Amino acid sequence: MPSWAAALAGLVAGAVAVGVSLPAAGVVKASAFPPAAAGAAAVDLAPAWLKDWAIRTFGEHDKTVLLAGVLLVLAAAAAAAGLLAARNPRYGPAVLGAFGALGLLAVLTRPGAGPADALPTLLGVAAGVFTLPLLLRRALAPAPAGRRRPSPGPGAGPRDASGPAGGSDPRPASHPDPLPGGGSDPQRPAPQTPAVMRAGEELRAFDRRGLLTAALGGAAVAGAGAVAGRLLTGRAEVDTARAGLALPRPAVPARPVPAGSDLRIPGLSPFFTPNRDFYRVDTALVVPRVDPADWTLRIGGMVDRPVELTFADLLARPLVEADVTLCCVSNEVGGPYVGNARWLGVRLADVLREAGVRAGADMLLSSSADGWTCGTPSDVVLDGRDALLAVAMNGETLPVDHGFPVRLVVPGLYGYVSATKWVTEIKATRFDRDEAYWTPRGWSARGPVKTQSRIDLPKAGAELPAGRTVIAGVAWAQHRGVDAVEVRVDGGPWRQARLAEAPTADTWRQWVLDDWDATPGGHTIEVRATDATGRTQTAERAPVAPDGATGLHAVTVTVT
Ligand SMILES: Nc1nc2c(c(=O)[nH]1)N[C@H]1C(S)=C(S)[C@@H](COP(=O)(O)O)O[C@H]1N2
Ligand SMILES: [Mo]
């Protein structure tokens, strides 16, 4: 059998394995899909520099790239299983089993995994092990009568390929039929090298059509599995639950947004970032699908009275609306990982006071349904700012990607220390006793937002006509507020930009300078913001790790 055929048989068997595990994971739970679990484990085990590089290089596609990587490794292993099984049928199950064991390890070490999570992997491996020999057998048709070898005598073991055409010949033993039509030729001696000579096999010829039909059958099984898996992953249920939720009215509406908060300049970030454009950063390879009917929030640790809230409990409480700009610590200067939204939720401080956080508990360690953790300073949450257990974003039930049914939002802190999505637990503890997800991975335990400003217009690298040109962007210093933005061109004098209004200090502010007289040639535009404490952002460049980038955003344009 040619090696491509053996590899194809392996690939199809691998696809069947994955295709069978998918609907099984749909029934059990999405994170029990072995490739997803393996990817998630890889994310957790990967060194911080690799993750930072992946986020920088692939941005929001990092998860797709990772899953594709896992599937590629699986495909290579499956092809290898096919090639090896063509030599010795025992090797196939060995390779598939070894990968299955890795998959099991990944699945069972996921946070919240139970014994039932093993099922998709076990079923998948079983399906692969069953399919592979089937395909290999279908690839071999009985050879024409004239080419049959005498059966080995008694005592000659199954390994009858050790003759002159020995099984050690690494070349694929593929031969076209010696005669068109395959008739026997009495003049011709029996072929020295049989059509197929592999250990443990009867003498049979490679049957391309047989293999391809069987492979198509396998592909159909894998495809059907994928479709069934999609239908079963509980996606539909959670989406229905999400769509069916009626949002209660806020007991405390947001501060009115001043008319001049959005300058409505085309190309400038709007004051409110629409949910579909809002950046997404998280470690979740498969977005947790949490049914609000099953959701609870447990508040424990260093508290006097542990509290457990259901989603209905949460909605029955007075809801507060707040406009808060969220940004990511891994946002490069000028980068896209920042957005502003109107959040609706319960004040976290109220719930914490009911639980009675003990003196000395300086950290709130929150966990998500998928086991991510986040350490937020308690004093920040309790100082009266709009720290929310949010259930809605921009007037819409929280999108699944942004933490449905409940997430945290704390103005003034980077997302990695404050904005837990799919939150299920909050433990009052101490920074010297507990560590959140990113801390041992090279990021600071505390992450107050640094004052930053970004030029949205003109775009970097733009070619512009000479004359009066609008320069505009956004600046943020959450909970301190932005007091001034200055712009300079080609290292000239700093000029005050006009600041748009903002309802509170917790959101970004748009800014504009609309009287730059652009002259032909190349120009560099820079921006800097000053927060309400009077501090101007530093021009000194710092990388995103460990606690947020610094430096001035600069764009270079060509004026013609
Ligand atoms: N469960 C969970 N919540 C999370 C994260 C995560 O990885 N898992 N990432 C945090 C980070 S680093 C940021 S910047 C914000 C981003 O929120 P968004 O995706 O809604 O914009 O979510 C935070 N909440
Ligand atoms: Mo982040």
Side-chain angles (χ1 to χ4, degrees):
M1 176 182 335
S3 12
W4 70 259
L8 175 68
L11 269 177
V12 173
V16 167
V18 170
V20 164
S21 70
L22 201 53
V27 175
V28 179
K29 73 166 90 111
S31 58
F33 179 50
V43 170
D44 289 350
L45 294 174
W49 60 264
L50 182 59
K51 264 183 282 209
D52 299 343
W53 174 83
I55 291 175
R56 264 200 315 280
T57 312
F58 304 117
E60 314 218 335
H61 301 298
D62 54 352
K63 279 151 206 107
T64 320
V65 171
L66 176 61
L67 195 57
V70 171
L71 290 174
L72 263 176
V73 171
L74 274 181
L83 285 166
L84 288 168
R87 295 183 158 239
N88 182 336
R90 255 176 285 181
Y91 293 157
V95 175
L96 293 173
F99 264 75
L102 283 177
L104 269 187
L105 190 67
V107 162
L108 293 177
T109 52
R110 288 290 84 210
D117 292 18
L119 216 67
T121 314
L122 294 177
L123 286 176
V125 171
V129 168
F130 173 79
T131 313
L132 183 55
L134 213 84
L135 286 166
L136 289 172
R137 235 174 292 135
R138 287 293 299 273
L140 299 171
R147 284 159 58 189
R148 269 195 214 284
R149 281 205 323 181
S151 62
R159 291 167 185 278
D160 61 347
S162 48
S168 56
D169 181 1
R171 282 171 299 141
S174 135
H175 298 276
D177 270 344
L179 287 177
S184 54
D185 180 351
Q187 302 303 106
R188 235 181 121 92
Q192 284 302 298
T193 312
V196 174
M197 287 262 74
R198 283 290 175 257
E201 282 171 2
E202 291 170 50
L203 173 58
R204 300 207 285 180
F206 172 53
D207 177 355
R208 180 199 303 254
R209 181 173 300 179
L211 171 65
L212 291 182
T213 357
L216 274 180
V221 169
V227 171
R230 264 199 108 77
L231 295 177
L232 285 169
T233 36
R235 184 173 300 228
E237 275 164 59
V238 170
D239 288 349
T240 314
R242 193 178 159 265
L245 279 181
L247 288 177
R249 286 175 174 278
V252 184
R255 217 65 84 66
V257 176
S261 294
D262 201 322
L263 301 170
R264 295 176 190 284
I265 299 172
L268 170 62
S269 302
F271 179 71
F272 285 114
T273 312
N275 290 353
R276 64 172 180 284
D277 299 335
F278 209 97
Y279 81 94
R280 175 186 160 203
V281 170
D282 53 61
T283 59
L285 197 59
V286 183
V287 176
R289 306 240 158 210
V290 182
D291 189 333
D294 303 333
W295 179 88
T296 60
L297 175 68
R298 274 159 292 125
I299 299 179
M302 297 170 68
V303 296
D304 294 331
R305 297 164 294 275
V307 170
E308 180 155 349
L309 290 174
T310 65
F311 193 66
D313 293 339
L314 205 65
L315 291 194
R317 302 175 68 103
L319 295 184
V320 173
E321 215 177 38
D323 298 338
V324 178
T325 295
L326 184 62
C327 61
C328 183
V329 69
S330 42
N331 195 35
E332 303 279 353
V333 171
Y337 299 155
V338 53
N340 183 50
R342 170 158 296 181
W343 309 94
L344 175 73
V346 167
R347 258 185 221 288
L348 179 56
D350 294 347
V351 180
L352 290 175
R353 289 216 174 81
E354 287 174 21
V357 174
R358 300 212 182 113
D362 60 356
M363 180 213 241
L364 298 168
L365 185 70
S366 51
S367 318
S368 63
D370 62 338
W372 185 80
T373 57
C374 172
T376 310
S378 322
D379 55 346
V380 171
V381 170
L382 295 170
D383 76 356
R385 73 184 72 194
D386 290 324
L388 299 181
L389 285 160
V391 296
M393 179 178 184
N394 288 326
E396 194 191 318
T397 306
L398 214 52
V400 172
D401 284 355
H402 295 289
F404 180 79
V406 184
R407 78 171 304 166
L408 291 177
V409 177
V410 183
L413 300 180
Y414 285 122
Y416 82 111
V417 291
S418 70
T420 310
K421 305 193 273 188
W422 317 290
V423 64
T424 55
E425 195 176 340
I426 298 176
K427 174 185 170 196
T429 178
R430 299 167 53 111
F431 276 97
D432 60 11
R433 280 186 202 160
D434 268 307
E435 240 179 6
Y437 184 87
W438 285 111
T439 312
R441 293 170 168 85
W443 297 82
S444 166
R446 293 168 198 261
V449 165
K450 295 179 180 177
T451 302
Q452 264 300 340
S453 48
R454 183 177 78 193
I455 300 167
D456 286 348
L457 278 179
K459 299 262 172 270
E463 288 192 17
L464 311 166
R468 202 167 145 158
T469 303
V470 171
I471 304 173
V474 283
W476 58 91
Q478 289 93 309
H479 210 60
R480 298 185 298 279
V482 172
D483 253 16
V485 169
E486 298 161 284
V487 175
R488 72 176 176 187
V489 179
D490 301 328
W494 286 106
R495 296 188 50 207
Q496 293 289 337
R498 179 160 68 83
L499 275 176
E501 313 250 1
T504 70
D506 292 343
T507 70
W508 61 12
R509 287 180 83 169
Q510 295 183 346
W511 55 265
V512 62
L513 191 84
D514 53 12
D515 63 351
W516 176 44
D517 188 16
T519 54
H523 297 289
T524 299
I525 308 167
E526 289 171 289
V527 64
R528 69 179 186 191
T530 300
D531 72 17
T533 72
R535 231 169 260 142
T536 300
Q537 71 177 91
T538 175
E540 209 168 299
R541 285 181 195 209
V544 292
D547 60 359
T550 66
L552 304 185
H553 188 211
V555 304
T556 304
V557 298
T558 309
V559 177
T560 49

